[in-house]
Amino acid sequence: MTDRNKDMLVYLASGKSTQQTVCVSKYAWSSHAIMLENGDHLECWLAGQISSLSDLAELVSSRSTAEINLFLRREQRAFGVIIRFDDYLFAACDRVQSYPIFWEQCGDDLVVSSDPRYFRSEHYKGRLRTELLTLFKASGYSLGSDTMVQGVKRVRPGESIMHEGAGTVVSERYYLYMPELSRNVEAPETLRDELGNVIDEIVTSLISDADGRPIVLPLSAGFDSRLLLGKLVEHGADNLITFSYGTLGNMEAGEAKKFAEQVGVPWFFVAPDKSDVEEYKRGELREYLRFSGGIHTTSAVTEYFALKKMAEKGYVGDHVLYINGQSGDFLTGGHLFIEPDIDAYLDRIMAKHFGLLALDADSPIRKEFKKVLLGWASENDIAEADQEEFLPHRFHLLFEWQERQSTYVINQQRAYDWFGIQWSLPLWHPKLMDFYERVPLEYQIEQKLYLDYLRHWNFKGLFDSMRMPYDPWPNFKLPILLAGHLTGRFVGEAKKSEFYKKLSYFSDQHYLYRLFPRKLFFKHSREVRNAATFFMLDNLVSLKQDLGGTVEAGIETDLRDYLHS
């Protein structure tokens, strides 16, 4: 094991007909020895929490698939688990792939790893899946069980895999997020009260789990962290701390401070530091990027520096619990569209999920998106009847749950793991998912039920004003707006848009853009959607260097040259 991978632990076992390799990172994962009722011993590796690891081990040892599925579906906490005994290996992710697991079968042998760096070693040179590059550049992640490394798969959300002896890997899908979206059969007030009861149950359980430890809440101006702030105070979390981060003077932080003061909770701002840029180029963060993504998704840097500074302040370890509001906006219907027909709806999905870099006009993803989506559905356990009916809202929720949310958004929690921070995502709690699976479409569109609940509950006036108008300019606002207006008036709207795109380098996203030179941003501003595009390309360049892929001329080579300057 190289120094670069010294924080990965590799376990080898040779059975009668196979060799099974388990690799786990020291971040969030722990090993456990379980003795079964019959006296046999099992090796287990766990991230997060499971209600009874010994009960699951008994079920796994009995190969009782139906009972295993029921057990996993009923779990209420985030987890990733690997179990091995004799020639048998079992692995599973929770409903949202909170802790990713990857695997590769070579003949009769199997490798299972919670750390994607295992598959970026010299052994995997030449195995970059170049046929997936266009898709990865457009979305920032691979789809389904695919990764960017030939032969390497991931365990999908709500999935388990089993391997025994000389057999092939068998996957079992115990959960799919497919809301019914049926017509309403309950009064809206009843649904609203039920929603409140579910949220109350989740938050009171969370406070109980904290067991007196400080609860740390990253706070923004959005609905979800504001809801959690109010609920934690309402239910007596008396050791609550909030913080915000980002560009100095950003609107989100200013509003968050007001909300914290409104309910009497401590708040502070974690400011960017000049040293962050050097850290991004040459520091520990380079290894974090390899740990947290690359082979299946783009590593998220959004919270990295803020969490690092929080850890330096001592808000780290078993004695503190962090929570955040991901991804309440998705689960409550905030990503659904209203469109007149299926084609228009599909255009919106494509624009939202495949726009990090512009697709060529003749790209199959652009020209035959419904065919691409149906192909994805057939490979991801979607029933033929559902494929034939093709209800766009259901497909949208299912696709985004498995891909963007579970693969990319929730992967931001790797930054918490990297710094040894315990975390919870209460708005991805299975009880809330189960509730929203039966909420009618009319109450999900534009978050109708959710917003109605927030207005009705409105603890301590937190939702007197639902949302402040978005202001992207914390600094130099008036000169920027004036210059933009004059550009539009005298040169045209296209040039005005181009001007604002370039000046977005100085927007509230500057804390992310500043990691890249202004000259580089201005040169490629037309190509990129936002800061996530740069992080995606950085991940891709790094992966190509590890696997021997070709770094393309243009923005990729410019990024490579900058990071090695």
Side-chain angles (χ1 to χ4, degrees):
M1 220 180 301
T2 66
D3 287 341
R4 200 176 194 186
N5 297 325
K6 63 185 178 182
D7 47 10
M8 289 192 293
L9 304 175
V10 180
Y11 304 82
L12 300 173
S14 296
K16 298 175 183 177
S17 56
T18 183
Q19 176 170 293
Q20 295 170 335
T21 301
V22 175
C23 171
V24 295
S25 163
K26 73 175 184 181
Y27 303 107
W29 287 79
S30 57
S31 61
H32 306 263
I34 302 291
M35 186 172 73
L36 302 178
E37 291 179 356
N38 64 8
D40 289 346
H41 290 81
L42 280 72
E43 294 177 283
C44 302
W45 297 268
L46 176 67
Q49 292 179 279
I50 279 183
S51 57
S52 174
L53 188 56
S54 58
D55 286 353
L56 177 60
E58 291 283 353
L59 293 175
V60 169
S61 71
S62 69
R63 283 103 162 143
S64 178
T65 301
E67 291 183 70
I68 292 171
N69 288 347
L70 182 60
F71 180 97
L72 295 175
R73 188 181 175 91
R74 287 176 173 173
E75 284 303 293
Q76 301 292 295
R77 293 179 173 87
F79 70 86
V81 63
I82 304 168
I83 299 175
R84 185 179 67 190
F85 64 98
D86 297 332
D87 277 354
Y88 190 82
L89 191 143
F90 171 90
C93 287
D94 64 14
R95 295 184 182 199
V96 291
Q97 194 190 264
S98 297
Y99 300 94
I101 299 172
F102 307 92
W103 61 274
E104 177 193 25
Q105 184 168 19
C106 300
D108 296 334
D109 298 337
L110 182 71
V111 176
V112 175
S113 178
S114 71
D115 195 321
R117 290 176 296 177
Y118 185 94
F119 302 106
R120 300 179 66 148
S121 66
E122 193 72 23
H123 176 71
Y124 291 89
K125 283 276 189 183
R127 289 172 59 175
L128 178 70
R129 296 192 63 182
T130 54
E131 76 276 15
L132 298 182
L133 287 175
T134 298
L135 180 66
F136 192 91
K137 288 180 181 180
S139 63
Y141 42 83
S142 56
L143 301 183
S145 60
D146 284 338
T147 71
M148 298 299 293
V149 184
Q150 191 71 43
V152 178
K153 302 289 186 181
R154 66 160 174 145
V155 179
R156 295 169 294 180
E159 182 181 40
S160 64
I161 61 166
M162 293 140 278
H163 175 254
E164 185 167 15
T168 58
V169 171
V170 176
S171 69
E172 185 74 24
R173 210 68 187 271
Y174 70 86
Y175 179 80
L176 288 171
Y177 184 66
M178 288 195 72
E180 298 173 8
L181 302 180
S182 56
R183 291 188 177 276
N184 186 31
V185 294
E186 297 181 70
E189 294 81 8
T190 302
L191 279 174
R192 186 184 67 200
D193 291 344
E194 287 183 37
L195 173 59
N197 291 337
V198 170
I199 294 172
D200 287 338
E201 285 182 36
I202 293 168
V203 173
T204 53
S205 176
L206 178 69
I207 294 172
S208 176
D209 288 345
D211 194 24
R213 291 178 291 168
I215 296 176
V216 181
L217 173 66
L219 190 59
S220 71
F223 298 142
D224 304 326
S225 62
R226 204 187 325 172
L227 165 70
L228 292 174
L229 171 67
K231 283 296 178 183
L232 287 164
V233 173
E234 182 182 41
H235 289 288
D238 54 7
N239 203 356
L240 178 60
I241 301 161
T242 66
F243 74 96
S244 304
Y245 57 89
T247 303
L248 289 170
N250 75 82
M251 183 206 80
E252 294 276 341
E255 291 298 299
K257 181 182 180 182
K258 294 177 186 176
F259 298 142
E261 290 173 346
Q262 202 165 330
V263 295
V265 169
W267 174 93
F268 56 89
F269 183 72
V270 181
D273 192 281
K274 289 183 179 180
S275 64
D276 296 345
V277 178
E278 191 64 21
E279 163 87 357
Y280 186 81
K281 287 185 67 177
R282 296 184 179 86
E284 186 181 276
L285 189 143
R286 300 311 303 171
E287 190 60 19
Y288 161 75
L289 294 176
R290 298 177 74 253
F291 156 76
S292 61
I295 76 166
H296 74 303
T297 189
T298 298
S299 301
V301 185
T302 310
E303 293 181 287
Y304 177 91
F305 292 109
L307 293 176
K308 180 183 179 182
K309 292 174 176 63
M310 292 293 289
E312 290 168 351
K313 291 176 181 288
Y315 294 105
V316 68
D318 296 344
H319 65 283
V320 182
L321 178 64
Y322 282 64
I323 67 172
N324 66 47
Q326 295 198 67
S327 300
D329 57 339
F330 165 75
L331 201 60
T332 59
H335 294 191
L336 294 173
F337 308 128
I338 302 174
E339 293 294 344
D341 55 54
I342 288 179
D343 289 339
Y345 198 98
L346 292 177
D347 286 344
R348 290 285 296 277
I349 296 178
M350 185 176 65
K352 179 177 177 63
H353 296 288
F354 298 94
L356 284 185
L357 280 179
L359 291 165
D360 294 335
D362 59 350
S363 167
I365 300 173
R366 180 183 291 277
K367 293 178 68 175
E368 299 179 326
F369 184 62
K370 182 176 180 180
K371 184 177 178 181
V372 170
L373 198 56
L374 284 172
W376 169 87
S378 67
E379 296 174 359
N380 284 276
D381 310 298
I382 314 306
E384 287 188 16
D386 288 316
Q387 294 182 44
E388 291 171 3
E389 188 177 15
F390 197 80
L391 297 175
H393 292 98
R394 291 190 81 199
F395 263 73
H396 183 184
L397 290 173
L398 176 64
F399 176 86
E400 184 169 347
W401 157 74
Q402 176 174 293
E403 306 304 345
R404 186 173 186 274
Q405 294 297 324
S406 296
T407 304
Y408 174 66
V409 175
I410 293 174
N411 197 60
Q412 294 184 39
Q413 300 305 115
R414 300 290 72 75
Y416 291 77
D417 294 341
W418 184 260
F419 292 111
I421 292 171
Q422 289 199 355
W423 54 269
S424 177
L425 298 176
L427 299 187
W428 273 115
H429 196 285
K431 287 183 179 180
L432 194 58
M433 297 180 76
D434 290 344
F435 173 80
Y436 261 94
E437 280 195 80
R438 62 182 183 82
V439 172
L441 178 61
E442 63 184 294
Y443 293 113
Q444 294 205 35
I445 291 286
E446 298 181 333
Q447 299 178 280
K448 183 177 179 180
L449 176 64
Y450 185 53
L451 298 188
D452 181 45
Y453 173 75
L454 296 179
R455 293 187 187 99
H456 184 261
W457 171 62
N458 195 21
F459 180 74
K460 291 186 177 292
L462 283 173
F463 293 94
D464 283 345
S465 175
M466 293 302 287
R467 193 189 291 277
M468 289 288 290
Y470 174 58
D471 182 359
W473 309 113
N475 302 297
F476 315 114
K477 178 178 179 179
L478 290 179
I480 289 173
L481 293 179
L482 178 60
H485 172 74
L486 293 174
T487 301
R489 182 173 181 180
F490 293 107
V491 188
E493 289 300 312
K495 288 294 183 181
K496 176 182 176 181
S497 297
E498 185 179 333
F499 170 81
Y500 280 134
K501 187 65 179 293
K502 285 188 175 182
L503 268 291
S504 65
Y505 187 86
F506 303 102
S507 70
D508 56 355
Q509 298 302 299
H510 179 67
Y511 79 106
L512 297 174
Y513 284 132
R514 72 196 169 99
L515 302 174
F516 307 96
R518 190 164 55 239
K519 182 179 179 181
L520 176 68
F521 178 82
F522 284 175
K523 180 179 178 180
H524 297 288
S525 60
R526 288 185 179 183
E527 302 169 57
V528 304
R529 183 176 192 168
N530 50 37
T533 307
F534 283 102
F535 295 127
M536 176 274 295
L537 290 168
D538 183 2
N539 275 248
L540 196 55
V541 168
S542 174
L543 184 65
K544 286 181 174 182
Q545 291 175 321
D546 283 349
L547 300 184
T550 301
V551 178
E552 297 178 14
I555 190 170
E556 288 188 26
T557 54
D558 287 347
L559 268 172
R560 180 199 61 194
D561 294 345
Y562 162 65
L563 292 169
H564 289 85
S565 61

